[in-house]
């Protein structure tokens, strides 16, 4: 991936107008384990795949609580995600102390994007190699944002990042129009179906996924394994095909495989645990 003299510094532009070091950081997000977010009018669901470096180790935590009304799911370099989630937590605490009210989700996302952008404009820094799905609830309703290592941020109805996320995006694109009026249980079902699409045949169980919920009258919290397994059993996710997405499942997975071909090779070799 070496691109001559134009990728040795994050502040060096290529003749084509590209910052390769920033693009490499965005590539790290694609190599991380999958994370998914979706929202309705009243709830936000975050879900991620648990991936361990070896059979002897436990998996890294991929979903973090920021405040009672905000949580974050990450894909990419876990250490960077931990640092940024701690920054977000401090911002929420400081805002709550100063104004005695919860920090609006959109304002926190802008502050996070500004922090990431600084690392693309300083030669002695490197971009954060992590993508963050920020889900939360404030006075204006439920929100789901994606923060990119480049400093860009986008609000989504539903989104997926990480390894083999294209298959999940295909499923979400077919279902997103129903999400706004969906119930909590229906959103959980769609989140688990989308998460299963990223596993490429591996069985979805409560041990290889984490799910978190925040909503009206419900503080941000992660569901325990028993609850997740009960949901999987109830929706028969382990055996049945995903609704709507099933007829074109074979066609939608093939294009997704091409950009992610390098992911399996990196899983055993990556020392950073992404």
């Amino acid at each position: 991936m070496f691109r001559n003299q134009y990728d040795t510094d994050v502040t060096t532009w290529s003749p084509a107008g590209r910052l390769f070091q920033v693009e490499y950081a965005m590539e790290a997000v694609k190599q991380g384990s999958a994370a998914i977010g979706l929202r309705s009018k009243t709830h936000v669901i975050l879900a991620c795949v648990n991936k361990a470096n070896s059979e002897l180790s436990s998996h890294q935590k991929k979903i973090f609580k920021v405040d009672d009304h905000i949580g974050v799911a990450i894909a990419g370099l876990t250490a960077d995600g931990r640092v940024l989630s701690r920054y977000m937590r401090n911002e929420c605490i400081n805002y709550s102390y100063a104004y005695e009210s919860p920090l609006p989700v959109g304002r926190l996302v802008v502050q996070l994007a500004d922090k990431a952008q600084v690392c693309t404009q300083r030669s002695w820094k490197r971009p954060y190699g992590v993508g963050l799905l920020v889900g939360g609830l404030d006075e204006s309703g439920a929100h789901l944002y994606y923060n990119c290592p480049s400093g860009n941020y986008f609000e989504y109805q539903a989104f997926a990042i990480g390894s083999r996320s294209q298959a999940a995006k295909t499923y979400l694109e077919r279902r997103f129009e129903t999400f706004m009026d969906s119930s909590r249980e229906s959103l959980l079902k769609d989140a688990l179906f989308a998460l299963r699409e990223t596993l490429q045949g591996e069985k979805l169980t409560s041990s290889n996924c984490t799910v978190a919920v925040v909503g009206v009258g419900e503080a941000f919290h992660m569901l325990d394994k028993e609850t997740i397994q009960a949901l999987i059993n109830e929706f028969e996710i382990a055996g049945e095909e995903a609704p709507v997405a099933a007829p074109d499942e074979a066609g939608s997975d093939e294009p997704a495989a091409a950009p992610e071909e390098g992911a399996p090779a990196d899983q055993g070799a990556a020392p950073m645990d992404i």
Side-chain angles (χ1 to χ4, degrees), residues 3 74 85 94 116 120 174 185 203 210 213 245 250 254:
R3 300 180 188 268
I74 67 170
S85 64
N94 292 337
T120 70
R174 289 175 173 149
E185 289 71 23
K203 185 177 180 180
T210 302
V213 183
E254 287 180 5

Side-chain angles (χ1 to χ4, degrees), residues 172-183:
L172 294 172
E173 285 168 0
R174 289 175 173 149
R175 299 277 296 170
F176 80 95
E177 292 180 353
T178 66
F179 290 165
M180 282 303 286
D181 298 318
S182 292
S183 64

